[in-house]
Amino acid sequence: SAFGQQLGSTKVTARRRTDDWQFELDSNAIAGTLLVPIDLARDPQVVAVMRRLYLNASDAPPGREIDPRELPGVQLHADEFGIGQRQLGRLDAEVLSDPLGLRLVSFESATDSFSAQGSGGWFVGSEGDTTRLAVSVTSTNVAKMLDQLGFTPFVEAAAAEVTASVYWPGRPSGAWLDHVSGDLALRAEKGSLIDVTPGGAGRAIGLLSISALPRRLALDFRDLFNRGLVFDEITADFLVVDGNAYTD
């Protein structure tokens, strides 16, 4: 294992170069090249060019508590990247070591259903660890994006944009959703909410909505009787507090 990651059966070859070690890794979860500076104190950044990089997302802490202030930064490219059940596709990221921990200067990822970019960090202060993340996501297939990110799809939409600035106490872990706080804005177009309770208030409001009148005059009631509540556009701003999202 490394940094709390269980690598499994892994083929490793190493070669010392002038200023760094070159490691070639090959396993089911991780495959690619690592360039590790010989003097990490002077040059605290690892370069990783990976064909695939699938990380564990355990809620349990590793055997030894990791201090991000002791970790080097990393310049990362991965053709395939995932954390637990979450698939982020192609990823490029720049992480720098910082006196307070690790600073995620920037990242960009893309799959066939969405792209994302943002920044963040994992810092240690007087009250312990804090993880911060600012992210912008654009999707062209929202249901597939939710599935790739490990969520049960609750909405289908042809397009969506999400921006968020969030933080949570503790290190990056699989339990971040339980304690996340911050702000989130959402805009989605041409889709449907697919877990609206049949006969519930959502469908009744849809029936009475003046904005839906042209659809009713055309005797089009598919949004009431098909799967979920159909919408042309949804926009919302959320305040997220300790894992719960609120909007008016």
Side-chain angles (χ1 to χ4, degrees):
S1 66
F3 301 120
Q5 299 297 315
Q6 300 301 318
L7 303 182
S9 177
T10 306
K11 179 181 179 181
V12 180
T13 60
R15 179 168 67 96
R16 178 164 179 167
R17 308 195 308 176
T18 303
D19 297 318
D20 57 30
W21 283 93
Q22 177 178 320
F23 295 93
E24 298 289 341
L25 308 177
D26 193 356
S27 72
N28 289 335
I30 298 176
T33 302
L34 289 180
L35 301 178
V36 182
I38 293 172
D39 186 356
L40 275 172
R42 181 177 60 85
D43 184 15
Q45 188 177 48
V46 174
V47 176
V49 181
M50 315 302 292
R51 297 188 300 279
R52 58 182 175 272
L53 179 59
Y54 294 104
L55 303 179
N56 310 136
S58 173
D59 296 346
R64 180 181 71 84
E65 196 64 34
I66 295 175
D67 187 335
R69 296 170 295 186
E70 299 176 356
L71 298 178
V74 60
Q75 181 179 331
L76 169 65
H77 170 80
D79 293 332
E80 301 175 23
F81 180 78
I83 302 177
Q85 298 300 312
R86 309 186 195 283
Q87 307 296 316
L88 277 74
R90 186 186 70 255
L91 175 73
D92 288 282
E94 178 85 9
V95 180
L96 295 181
S97 60
D98 185 278
L100 296 179
L102 291 174
R103 184 159 52 95
L104 177 58
V105 178
S106 65
F107 77 89
E108 295 184 1
S109 68
T111 73
D112 57 350
S113 70
F114 73 94
S115 62
Q117 48 276 326
S119 60
W122 174 15
F123 304 113
V124 178
S126 58
E127 298 182 358
D129 294 26
T130 300
T131 302
R132 296 184 175 275
L133 183 65
V135 62
S136 175
V137 180
T138 301
S139 176
T140 54
N141 185 332
V142 176
K144 187 172 183 179
M145 175 188 73
L146 291 170
D147 184 61
Q148 289 175 329
L149 291 177
F151 300 106
T152 299
F154 61 91
V155 61
E156 296 173 337
E161 297 176 0
V162 180
T163 59
S165 179
V166 296
Y167 64 91
W168 60 92
R171 64 190 183 91
S173 75
W176 67 276
L177 276 173
D178 296 336
H179 305 291
V180 65
S181 299
D183 300 289
L184 184 147
L186 163 70
R187 179 174 182 269
E189 297 179 350
K190 295 181 176 60
S192 62
L193 303 174
I194 57 179
D195 70 342
V196 175
T197 302
R203 296 194 175 194
I205 292 172
L207 177 62
L208 300 173
S209 172
I210 293 176
S211 63
L213 186 58
R215 182 177 291 152
R216 305 291 169 249
L217 293 177
L219 301 180
D220 181 356
F221 291 87
R222 288 174 298 174
D223 56 328
L224 297 179
F225 301 112
N226 281 359
R227 187 183 180 200
L229 177 66
V230 171
F231 61 84
D232 296 311
E233 182 179 18
I234 289 179
T235 61
D237 294 311
F238 294 89
L239 175 65
V240 184
V241 180
D242 201 22
N244 296 306
Y246 302 90
T247 184
D248 58 4

